[in-house]
């Protein structure tokens, strides 16, 4: 990377005035059409699928509701909660608040005229997909009501997440189908990963190239989401071949190992970070552990600081020179899988030891320097 400037400047225009902000870093979290990404010239390669999605709030009369959250559609039958695939497209139904249902359709085909959408247009689309009229009405209660049409489904991934002092996260770095709902989790994990590393730089203790690990860790996770998002979209396509594939996959998902694999894939926890330590726990999210005093390990991370969990009493003293940056917690645990765990603020294990001794002390010091900077001189 070329020598980067010492700051980044942003010219802001508002209805009231124009002004400039100079900052150490600029984070582009401004959505799929990110002005930040476009301005710095980061490529956003990918594909666009010909699909038209429509979504609106509607009112569903009580006689069509089912206790399981689905619907009974006259002339069609049961419509399940969530996504439903049919030969002529698909449907989306969910009631997230009483009396205010979200109903959507998607049809595969070229874009339609870009004009304001109406509930009547949505119901006409539902008739084409279902083959019958749906008994929905205009939404009740005060506006605003969702009323949206989407022409085309983009699956795009930023070529880089960083350009000097400019970084991307969330939809500015990746866009994809909402099917399966991976976007919120993906964006939050981006923010957690980047947030503590930026804080380290701003507080003056970040090791060299710490910010580079944001892209090296998160970009592969984004690639995985692009992959399984497109796979889920493909499974909603029409045709008997797709129906057969769905049946086969349904059988595979009943197998425990397959279900566990898919759960980790959808949660975004199936990518192991390269943290420079080979312990089986290192590079993965910290396990859900409960200490002998009743505290959960995740509760120790609420202060957004590194945590060294010392289970045998030796690691804490060895890390005392980093006590200004890391919380050292001596604890007991029934049947611990490690003698000590060094946990980053984003919940990932940076280092672990099965038994603590001189070699492990050297490894702990290397991990502390790698992620949290040199020893404190005080």
């Amino acid at each position: 990377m070329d020598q980067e400037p010492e700051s980044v400047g942003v010219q802001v225009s508002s209805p009231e005035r124009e002004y400039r902000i100079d900052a150490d870093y600029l984070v582009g979290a401004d959505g799929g059409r990110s002005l930040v990404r476009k301005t710095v010239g980061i490529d956003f390669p990918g594909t666009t699928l010909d699909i038209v999605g429509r979504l609106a709030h509607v009112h569903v009369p009580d006689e069509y509701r089912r206790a399981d959250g689905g619907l009974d559609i006259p002339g069609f039958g049961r419509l399940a909660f969530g996504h439903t695939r049919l030969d002529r497209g698909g449907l989306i139904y969910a009631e997230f608040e009483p009396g205010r249902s979200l109903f959507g359709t998607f049809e595969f085909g070229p874009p339609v005229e870009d004009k304001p959408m109406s509930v009547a247009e949505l119901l006409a689309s539902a008739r084409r997909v279902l083959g019958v009229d749906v008994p929905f009405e205009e939404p009740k209660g005060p506006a605003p009501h969702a009323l949206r049409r989407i022409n085309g489904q983009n699956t795009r991934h930023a070529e880089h997440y960083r350009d000097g002092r400019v970084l991307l996260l969330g939809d500015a770095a990746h866009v994809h189908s909402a099917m399966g709902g991976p976007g919120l989790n993906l964006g939050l994990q981006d923010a957690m990963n980047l947030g503590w590393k930026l804080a380290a730089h701003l507080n003056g203790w970040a090791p060299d190239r710490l910010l580079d690990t944001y892209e090296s860790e998160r970009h592969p996770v984004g690639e995985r989401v692009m992959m399984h998002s497109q796979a889920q979209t493909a499974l909603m396509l029409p045709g008997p071949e797709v129906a057969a594939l769905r049946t086969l996959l349904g059988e595979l998902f009943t197998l425990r190992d397959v279900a566990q694999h898919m759960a980790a894939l959808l949660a975004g926890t199936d990518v192991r970070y390269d943290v420079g330590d080979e312990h089986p726990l290192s590079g993965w999210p910290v396990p859900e552990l409960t200490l002998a005093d009743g505290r959960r390990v995740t509760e120790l991370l609420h202060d957004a600081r590194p945590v060294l969990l010392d289970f045998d009493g030796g690691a804490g003293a060895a890390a005392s020179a980093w006590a200004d940056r890391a919380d050292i917690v001596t604890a007991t645990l029934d049947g611990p899988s490690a003698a000590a765990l060094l946990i980053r603020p984003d919940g990932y294990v940076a280092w672990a030891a099965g038994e603590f001794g001189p070699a492990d002390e050297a490894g702990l010091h290397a991990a502390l320097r790698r992620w949290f900077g040199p020893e404190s001189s005080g």
Side-chain angles (χ1 to χ4, degrees):
M1 182 180 294
D2 296 335
Q3 183 69 33
E4 64 183 40
E6 295 183 356
S7 66
V8 58
V10 181
Q11 193 70 27
V12 181
S13 297
S14 73
E16 292 78 24
R17 63 191 179 102
E18 292 191 0
Y19 56 97
R20 178 183 173 87
I21 298 175
D22 291 301
D24 290 333
Y25 295 94
L26 171 64
V27 178
D30 50 341
R33 299 178 181 178
S34 172
L35 179 62
V36 172
R37 186 191 64 242
K38 294 174 182 178
T39 300
V40 298
I42 297 177
D43 288 340
F44 203 41
T47 60
T48 300
L49 176 68
D50 276 347
I51 185 173
V52 180
R54 297 174 176 89
L55 184 72
H57 282 116
V58 297
H59 173 70
V60 182
D62 289 341
E63 61 263 33
Y64 303 114
R65 299 173 182 275
R66 293 174 57 101
D68 61 5
L71 299 172
D72 281 318
I73 305 295
F76 173 77
R78 180 178 181 272
L79 179 66
F81 174 92
H83 287 77
T84 298
R85 172 192 175 272
L86 298 166
D87 288 340
R88 293 183 293 271
L91 299 171
I92 306 165
Y93 175 75
E95 185 177 72
F96 295 120
E97 50 186 305
R100 187 174 159 93
S101 298
L102 270 176
F103 181 73
T105 66
F106 54 91
E107 298 178 83
F108 294 96
V112 300
E113 182 182 356
D114 187 13
K115 62 180 181 180
M117 200 190 85
S118 64
V119 172
E121 178 185 336
L122 173 63
L123 296 182
S125 174
R127 187 183 305 114
R128 290 191 296 270
V129 173
L130 277 172
V132 299
D133 290 324
V134 295
F136 298 168
E137 304 168 1
E138 294 280 347
K140 310 292 184 182
H145 303 298
L147 198 63
R148 188 179 183 192
R149 183 197 308 109
I150 303 173
N151 276 314
Q153 173 59 62
N154 285 311
T155 302
R156 300 188 179 277
H157 194 201
E159 187 173 22
H160 300 292
Y161 285 7
R162 183 185 182 194
D163 187 327
R165 291 181 174 269
V166 179
L167 301 108
L168 304 176
L169 64 77
D171 287 355
H174 33 67
V175 295
H176 47 81
S177 167
M179 203 169 298
L184 178 60
N185 183 49
L186 179 62
L188 286 174
Q189 288 199 43
D190 285 350
M192 288 293 293
N193 189 293
L194 178 58
W196 77 266
K197 295 171 183 177
L198 273 178
H201 275 271
L202 297 177
N203 287 316
W205 54 260
D208 291 340
R209 308 193 72 82
L210 179 64
L211 273 184
D212 291 341
T213 66
Y214 168 60
E215 178 171 326
S216 65
E217 290 181 347
R218 296 305 300 161
H219 201 275
V221 180
E223 289 180 339
R224 296 283 286 170
V225 171
M226 299 304 106
M227 177 273 292
H228 72 69
S229 173
Q230 288 185 304
Q232 291 184 73
T233 299
L235 289 170
M236 300 298 286
L237 291 169
E241 299 85 0
V242 176
L245 179 60
R246 290 170 61 90
T247 299
L248 176 59
L249 288 175
E251 295 176 4
L252 292 176
F253 291 162
T254 64
L255 304 177
R256 182 178 179 84
D257 288 347
V258 174
Q260 289 179 332
H261 176 86
M262 295 304 299
L265 172 68
L266 294 175
T269 58
D270 65 325
V271 176
R272 185 182 190 183
Y273 293 165
D274 178 9
V275 296
D277 184 60
E278 297 303 319
H279 189 279
L281 293 176
S282 297
W284 298 105
V286 63
E288 181 60 48
L289 301 175
T290 300
L291 306 179
D293 60 8
R295 287 180 296 173
R296 296 166 59 203
V297 168
T298 49
E299 295 174 18
L300 305 178
L301 300 174
H302 288 181
D303 290 334
R305 284 166 53 89
V307 172
L308 176 64
L309 265 178
D310 183 2
F311 294 121
D312 74 355
S320 59
W322 285 267
D324 58 327
R325 274 153 284 162
D327 293 333
I328 299 172
V329 178
T330 301
T332 57
L333 182 71
D334 291 335
S337 53
L341 295 174
L342 179 62
I343 310 168
R344 305 188 326 186
D346 57 357
Y348 278 77
V349 178
W351 168 89
E355 295 181 1
F356 195 75
D360 299 303
E361 180 174 338
L364 172 59
H365 287 173
L368 287 163
R369 294 186 188 105
R370 174 174 180 153
W371 296 108
F372 312 121
E375 300 89 327
S376 173
S377 59

